Amino acid sequence: EADIYQTPRYLVIGTGKKITLECSQTMGHDKMYWYQQDPGMELHLIHYSYGVNSTEKGDLSSESTVSRIRTEHFPLTLESARPSHTSQYLCASRSGGAVNEQFFGPGTRLTVL
Amino acid sequence: DQQVKQNSPSLSVQEGRISILNCDYTNSMFDYFLWYKKYPAEGPTFLISISSIKDKNEDGRFTVFLNKSAKHLSLHIVPSQPGDSAVYFCAASANFGNEKLTFGTGTRLTIIP
């Protein structure tokens, strides 16, 4: 069973607030990912990391930023939340081996009022 | 430009019958394909994958078929069970799974008891 955790699960905040979505995994995976998903839509990759101190932007432009100071931790930060940031944010990880099975966390559903 | 397409947003199947979910892709560089299952308020769960060197992969009630010439894959679930009701995402990757995943928009499967 995958051990990847996201907090908070649900967050409702006002416009202009700074927020950090937490993601941690205990599997020692090098590769970690953040996806954004709106209802009925595909998962869009917004950030990824292939190891400590490595971060890259994904296919979908995002105003969020990420950091990877420790292997197990990959937080996502929004400096000033806006209603357009309302979405579900999913974190995933995988080992560096040949199998590309990504393990997903439960997600954070963010609502910005 | 959507590179992975799931043209059926929803599908209803009688319990015990076969469920067939379809997925088409346009990028000829894709050579590794995965199916994920997602329940509401949870992250996607990996189901089954297939490499382009194969045309079929089976795991219990789940079988994935790949038709490279048609750039088409399908997931067969037999027999379908009520617990299979969920959204199913098709995903694709290049370099035999070492590149980022590109997801389809998902198909909502409902199993009718």
Side-chain angles (χ1 to χ4, degrees), chain A residues 9-10 31 35 37 40-43 45 48 50 59 88 90 94 96-102 104-107, chain B residues 2 4 32 34 36 38 41-46 49 89 93-94 96-106:
Chain A
R9 293 290 311 276
Y10 302 92
K31 302 187 178 184
Y35 293 87
Q37 188 201 11
M41 302 296 289
E42 63 265 51
L43 281 71
L45 181 68
Y48 63 99
Y50 284 172
D59 304 321
Q88 184 179 37
L90 292 158
R94 77 167 179 100
V99 175
N100 196 18
E101 175 186 341
Q102 291 185 15
F104 282 82
Chain B
Q2 206 169 352
V4 178
Y32 194 81
L34 307 90
Y36 281 85
K38 187 177 185 298
E42 294 184 14
T45 303
F46 171 75
S49 62
F89 289 95
S93 176
F96 290 102
N98 284 308
E99 301 297 328
K100 298 168 285 181
L101 293 180
T102 300
F103 284 84
T105 52

Side-chain angles (χ1 to χ4, degrees), chain A residues 49 54-55 65-70 73-77:
Chain A
S49 167
S54 150
T55 60
T65 59
V66 291
S67 62
R68 189 88 182 277
I69 298 172
R70 303 197 314 266
H73 195 213
F74 191 39
L76 180 146
T77 298

Side-chain angles (χ1 to χ4, degrees), chain A residues 30-67:
Chain A
D30 288 325
K31 302 187 178 184
M32 296 189 73
Y33 308 82
W34 275 103
Y35 293 87
Q36 184 175 340
Q37 188 201 11
D38 293 321
M41 302 296 289
E42 63 265 51
L43 281 71
H44 288 289
L45 181 68
I46 53 175
H47 298 283
Y48 63 99
S49 167
Y50 284 172
V52 171
N53 294 325
S54 150
T55 60
E56 301 286 345
K57 288 193 179 294
D59 304 321
L60 181 69
S61 175
S62 173
E63 294 166 346
S64 58
T65 59
V66 291
S67 62

Side-chain angles (χ1 to χ4, degrees), chain B residues 27-54:
Chain B
N27 189 338
S28 57
M29 299 300 291
F30 289 150
D31 53 20
Y32 194 81
F33 306 89
L34 307 90
W35 284 94
Y36 281 85
K37 174 181 179 179
K38 187 177 185 298
Y39 292 119
E42 294 184 14
T45 303
F46 171 75
L47 265 181
I48 192 168
S49 62
I50 188 167
S51 165
S52 61
I53 61 174
K54 294 185 173 182

